[in-house]
Amino acid sequence: MEDIGCISARFRASPERPLRARPIDRDARNVIIVHTFLVIVRWEQASTDKRTARQCGEVLTLKQARTICRSCNAFCPIQVTIDQARATRVIGNRAAPLYKGYTCPKGRALPSVHNRPDRLKSSLKRQEDGSFIPISSEDLVGELAERIRVLIDRHGPRSVAAYLSGGVIEQPAASTLMISFLEAIGSPMLFSASTIDQPGMTIGYALHGRWHGGRIRPQERDLFMIVGGNPINSKQYLPQNPGMQIKAMRKRRGKLIVIDPRRTETARLADIHLQPIPGEDPTILAGLVHLLVREDGVDRAFVDTNANGLAALSAAVERFTPEYVAARAGISAADLHAVAKALMQAKRGDIGLGTGPSMATRGLLSSYLALCLNTLRGFWAGEGQQAMHPSVLLPEREFRAQPIAPYPAWGFGKKMRVGNCEPTPAGMPLAALPDEILTPGAGQVKALFLHGGAVQSWPQHDKTVEALRALDLLVIHDLVLSPTAKLADYVIATKAQFEIPAISVLNEIISNSGHSGYGWAEPFAYCGPALLEPPEGSDLLEAWQIYYRVAQRLNLPLKITNWRSAQKVEPELDMQHEPNTSQIYDMMCAGSAIPLDEVRRHSYGHVFEAARKQVLSRDPACTARLDLANADMLRELANVAREDPEVRRGIDTEFAFLLIPGRLQNATNTFAKAPGILKWSYNPAFMHPRDMAEIGVSPGDEVLIRSRHGQVRAIAEKDEGLRRKVVSLMHGFGSSPSPQADPRIDGTNVNHLTSWQDDFEEHTGMPRMGALPISVTPAAVAGT
């Protein structure tokens, strides 16, 4: 047998003998399989045995490295192939615990993101004519420090604001140092995507109260009901290999229920799938409460011990009979009964809401009713059960089988200058930020630091662009010159994720704050080094370094403050000697349940049994109770019962469709997308084939979509699993600011169709972003 290195060399392409596309017969296929196996063997041998390669006259440059993917909050363990200091391939790490080698297309496409030809190699500064020129990191820090100094002197610290979004998944130290910087200058103006995504996740707990013992772990559920969510794509609620987790639950004879107008990837696996009219989530949830009460499905012992308000809640849902709910929501009464029966038969279950109910308005009410359903069935972790989301990288915490009483959902902070929006447990209301920028006077926002693509994700595109252009200083951290970056005064060229040490603490911070959709049921954690150096000749920064170095120039002290975490230890940074990222992580994890150095020893990630927690018995002194009858929520539920649903929806002969948001498996919101990763280069407007036939369009045709606030062009595609008269269009696409951009190239920016003033929630200001009435016509007929 020939030496494996020589055999491998025979089949590699070279300039003299390139690989050519041709039909693959059986023998050729077998050669490819053998070659793939041999290359894998070479990778494994590369670090220990180079003698074979020398005999063949070739130098092995491939190596494998391990880390976690940070394309979303699933944090899948991956193996990265590195060839001559470039990432070339990503696969799931089968040796890592929990995930079974899972990774999604986004993770596998990371080498393409790192190696994008349009990737920024240095930061950029806008010129008066709108063009950009490179600026060194040193000059960038100096200019930003001076401009921030002037703005604070003239307008006060409130004039400087910051926005956190998905960009900090890759760079967890960024949010920590950004918050530290705002605290140091005395600005309260920290905004995030939380108040236009799922504010009910945290506000619902404030209204209803939390369970100290946490939720039922996925491994122990015999029922899971997901409303308006698609964990297969989003990874929310089932972040570690969602398909595997669903199959495992089904194997235990557990049931999956999905309520969604679209037959999503998750809905295809469901035992029961309801496809309601968009926006009727509160109606269905109230109908389920009605059936539990009427058919003796309430866990009376649990409710009597732990909750107040059952009688008032029962009265509030009297009108939501199966017949009323079915007629209003467009489902069958029999299906509603089937869901209620499944809930009543389950011993250990959970109910989770995706972004759908939140974006379709009344997201707070839907979140609250879902918590009430969990309480009515006693779907909370009991004494002796293993606790969900135990701390590993955060300080150890206790779990007890008892309630945490409701706490203020609003009214504890100063209202914004314009409108009635105010701080909530979800954070400062993003809905107020454009007006805070555009409205003159004391407290006007003049400078904004962005971690996220505001142009593609904030509602009311035109007002967003107007506000961003009105700023005295707009700074964005980005990998490419994105639509939002094109409006910035400074674009900070940042390192990509393989160039940054990895740590899993962000998920613990999120789950610690009450968001049940992310994190680990097991005490899993990861911390590892960067895999790559930045590209040769580049001048890149990690996002946290901007805040540290500007603070250093301004002689400001900084301390570590983890975002939305109940952290008590806040170490101070050495402002004379800049720490490295690993040292920042050490400070972020001060007092952690497992020492960070111990976590670093496990290159695959590790489940730390020493951090596992059991739910303890109730404290005899506990008097807290959960609230099933919050006055604000029951008042809103009464409004739902009184209203005309047709008027509420805004459907008429002109606007005959309802638009819903969605997610693509291959793209994460406004993140830089890998070339070639998408089936289409755009976000299609999915429609039912019969609806397409009625308006005279075929798959691939261009359509004009109008709302009462604006219009966009999109490319229609069929989806037979979509409810009739519903259009599903993904967020995070479209160029800007030009609405004339070709939708086949840039995709469609949904936020040309939305308005901050459309049916907005009183406290957060979150407007209607789903269940949005629209018209759809062939572009040719519309004259575009």
Side-chain angles (χ1 to χ4, degrees):
M1 182 176 179
E2 291 186 68
D3 188 283
I4 59 173
C6 299
I7 295 173
S8 172
R10 286 185 176 185
F11 292 98
R12 294 199 303 170
S14 68
E16 296 78 22
R17 190 181 62 202
L19 292 176
R20 301 182 184 278
R22 62 180 184 276
I24 299 176
D25 59 26
R26 183 178 300 174
D27 291 338
R29 182 187 62 200
N30 291 340
V31 166
I32 290 171
I33 293 171
V34 171
H35 176 235
T36 302
F37 169 76
L38 293 174
V39 169
I40 291 172
V41 173
R42 289 174 60 241
W43 292 342
E44 295 296 334
Q45 291 186 341
S47 61
T48 58
D49 184 9
K50 296 187 178 180
R51 176 175 52 82
T52 296
R54 295 192 193 100
Q55 289 173 350
C56 296
E58 75 177 329
V59 177
L60 293 178
T61 60
L62 299 178
K63 69 174 183 178
Q64 286 184 316
R66 295 182 287 269
T67 187
I68 53 173
C69 173
R70 284 150 280 167
S71 296
C72 75
N73 287 92
F75 289 166
C76 301
I78 55 176
Q79 291 187 161
V80 183
T81 302
I82 299 172
D83 184 2
Q84 297 183 3
R86 284 168 58 92
T88 59
R89 186 172 185 246
V90 166
I91 60 173
N93 184 354
R94 291 188 175 276
L98 303 182
Y99 292 79
K100 305 296 184 183
Y102 176 83
T103 189
C104 79
K106 296 186 293 291
R108 295 191 292 274
L110 281 171
S112 297
V113 174
H114 269 260
N115 301 325
R116 283 181 65 135
D118 60 344
R119 182 180 172 189
L120 298 178
K121 301 299 196 304
S122 65
S123 297
L124 301 176
K125 177 182 178 180
R126 173 182 287 279
Q127 302 300 289
E128 289 186 4
D129 64 359
S131 63
F132 288 93
I133 61 171
I135 182 172
S136 70
S137 296
E138 183 72 16
D139 289 344
L140 171 67
V141 170
E143 291 189 17
L144 287 177
E146 182 56 29
R147 293 185 68 169
I148 292 294
R149 188 198 312 275
V150 170
L151 287 173
I152 293 175
D153 287 346
R154 291 179 180 175
H155 306 285
R158 197 180 186 275
S159 66
V160 180
Y163 171 72
L164 289 172
S165 187
V168 298
I169 296 175
E170 288 190 357
Q171 306 210 31
S175 56
T176 295
L177 269 292
M178 174 194 280
I179 295 168
S180 300
F181 179 77
L182 290 179
E183 289 179 345
I185 65 174
S187 173
M189 306 300 278
L190 172 66
F191 298 85
S192 78
S194 296
T195 54
I196 60 163
D197 190 315
Q198 292 177 281
M201 278 285 193
T202 49
I203 299 175
Y205 280 125
L207 299 168
H208 173 267
R210 293 173 64 174
W211 186 249
H212 200 288
R215 293 185 178 241
I216 303 292
R217 300 164 73 246
Q219 298 90 327
E220 298 173 2
R221 295 174 191 152
D222 51 19
L223 176 139
F224 181 50
M225 186 170 86
I226 177 73
V227 185
N230 184 13
I232 294 292
N233 280 6
S234 70
K235 314 301 183 291
Q236 194 177 64
Y237 296 106
L238 301 170
Q240 293 88 50
N241 196 334
M244 177 192 72
Q245 290 185 268
I246 291 172
K247 291 175 183 176
M249 185 179 72
R250 298 285 295 277
K251 190 174 181 179
R252 300 191 304 270
R253 299 185 181 277
K255 288 190 175 181
L256 174 66
I257 299 170
V258 174
I259 301 175
D260 199 304
R262 187 181 184 195
R263 191 167 182 262
T264 63
E265 293 83 350
T266 305
R268 292 171 200 160
L269 302 175
D271 296 274
I272 303 173
H273 175 207
L274 305 188
Q275 288 188 272
I277 297 170
E280 292 298 340
D281 306 293
T283 304
I284 293 171
L285 294 169
L288 291 171
V289 172
H290 173 95
L291 283 172
L292 291 188
V293 172
R294 191 179 81 180
E295 300 185 6
D296 198 26
V298 175
D299 185 335
R300 295 279 178 171
F302 182 88
V303 171
D304 289 347
T305 304
N306 297 294
N308 291 328
L310 177 58
L313 177 63
S314 300
V317 299
E318 280 184 358
R319 182 173 176 181
F320 292 87
T321 64
E323 296 72 26
Y324 172 79
V325 172
R328 175 166 176 166
I331 60 175
S332 76
D335 285 345
L336 189 71
H337 272 284
V339 173
K341 182 178 179 181
L343 286 169
M344 288 185 279
Q345 290 176 338
K347 301 299 183 184
R348 295 180 178 181
D350 196 12
I351 300 166
L353 269 61
T355 56
S358 183
M359 293 189 173
T361 73
R362 287 183 168 145
L364 300 190
L365 178 60
S366 292
S367 297
Y368 178 77
L369 290 173
L371 292 173
C372 289
L373 279 170
N374 264 4
T375 295
L376 293 175
R377 290 297 304 133
F379 285 168
W380 302 106
E383 180 182 350
Q385 293 180 11
Q386 288 188 32
M388 180 107 157
H389 299 145
S391 295
V392 179
L393 296 175
L394 290 183
E396 185 176 358
R397 59 191 179 115
E398 187 179 77
F399 297 84
R400 286 192 175 275
Q402 64 189 45
I404 298 173
Y407 43 93
W410 41 73
F412 55 81
K414 185 177 180 180
K415 289 194 173 185
M416 308 306 286
R417 293 188 306 140
V418 180
N420 291 315
C421 296
E422 58 188 313
T424 67
M428 294 283 278
L430 181 63
L433 183 53
D435 283 323
E436 291 288 337
I437 295 169
L438 294 169
T439 305
Q444 182 180 9
V445 171
K446 296 286 187 176
L448 177 63
F449 288 84
L450 280 175
H451 288 268
V455 162
Q456 294 168 299
S457 60
W458 293 6
Q460 198 171 342
H461 170 275
D462 291 348
K463 186 171 184 177
T464 294
V465 172
E466 179 188 3
L468 296 180
R469 284 177 166 164
L471 288 160
D472 288 2
L473 176 62
L474 176 61
V475 183
I476 185 171
H477 301 261
D478 222 324
L479 198 69
V480 297
L481 196 61
S482 66
T484 307
K486 291 175 182 177
L487 302 177
D489 297 291
Y490 295 92
V491 183
I492 302 173
T494 59
K495 294 181 180 180
Q497 60 175 272
F498 293 157
E499 297 153 5
I500 303 167
I503 192 169
S504 59
V505 69
L506 181 62
N507 268 4
E508 289 193 37
I509 293 171
I510 293 172
S511 61
N512 188 267
S513 72
H515 194 308
S516 61
Y518 297 109
W520 294 272
E522 308 292 334
F524 174 87
Y526 177 88
C527 186
L531 304 186
L532 301 174
E533 292 295 325
E536 186 176 353
S538 63
D539 181 12
L540 306 180
L541 291 167
E542 291 189 46
W544 69 264
Q545 291 177 305
I546 281 293
Y547 304 106
Y548 177 89
R549 293 177 184 180
V550 170
Q552 198 176 44
R553 295 285 184 100
L554 297 175
N555 295 316
L556 295 172
L558 296 180
K559 59 184 179 181
I560 294 293
T561 304
N562 283 336
W563 178 53
R564 295 172 66 186
S565 171
Q567 178 189 9
K568 296 180 180 178
V569 180
E570 296 185 341
E572 294 186 0
L573 280 80
D574 182 345
M575 299 307 296
Q576 301 302 315
H577 305 95
E578 181 174 303
N580 60 39
T581 304
S582 293
Q583 291 168 330
I584 295 287
Y585 292 168
D586 286 330
M587 289 184 279
M588 290 174 66
C589 298
S592 58
I594 300 295
L596 191 53
D597 282 344
E598 173 64 17
V599 176
R600 288 188 176 110
R601 289 199 321 105
H602 300 272
S603 62
Y604 293 90
H606 191 67
V607 175
F608 294 90
E609 293 298 330
R612 195 178 294 279
K613 289 288 184 179
Q614 281 194 331
V615 179
L616 303 177
S617 62
R618 184 188 185 106
D619 185 334
C622 176
T623 59
R625 298 181 74 83
L626 304 172
D627 188 0
L628 295 170
N630 176 270
D632 290 294
M633 293 296 97
L634 295 194
R635 189 179 307 115
E636 188 164 357
L637 187 58
N639 291 337
V640 173
R642 282 194 299 266
E643 73 190 7
D644 181 337
E646 296 293 332
V647 173
R648 169 82 177 186
R649 288 182 200 124
I651 292 291
D652 56 25
T653 55
E654 182 179 3
F655 298 100
F657 292 85
L658 288 174
L659 180 75
I660 61 172
R663 291 180 185 267
L664 289 174
Q665 174 77 302
N666 296 12
T668 301
N669 301 329
T670 61
F671 279 28
K673 299 169 180 65
I677 189 176
L678 300 173
K679 179 179 179 180
W680 301 280
S681 61
Y682 48 85
N683 49 334
F686 290 106
M687 303 179 66
H688 193 280
R690 288 169 61 187
D691 290 335
M692 296 175 70
E694 284 186 3
I695 66 171
V697 299
S698 300
D701 285 354
E702 186 175 317
V703 294
L704 180 71
I705 300 178
R706 293 189 303 114
S707 72
R708 292 182 172 89
H709 314 295
Q711 65 181 39
V712 295
R713 294 183 298 153
I715 308 302
E717 292 292 345
K718 67 177 182 179
D719 183 350
E720 295 179 354
L722 191 60
R723 183 186 173 93
R724 294 288 310 276
K725 297 300 180 183
V726 173
V727 176
S728 178
L729 191 59
M730 284 61 182
H731 285 275
F733 284 78
S735 67
S736 180
S738 172
Q740 305 304 317
D742 187 343
R744 294 184 191 276
I745 297 174
D746 303 297
T748 301
N749 190 333
V750 180
N751 287 305
H752 283 286
L753 302 172
T754 58
S755 168
W756 287 108
Q757 299 304 309
D758 185 2
D759 203 5
F760 59 90
E761 198 278 323
E762 176 183 0
H763 303 283
T764 66
M766 181 175 177
R768 185 195 303 248
M769 299 169 68
L772 184 70
I774 59 169
S775 68
V776 186
T777 54
V781 173
T784 62

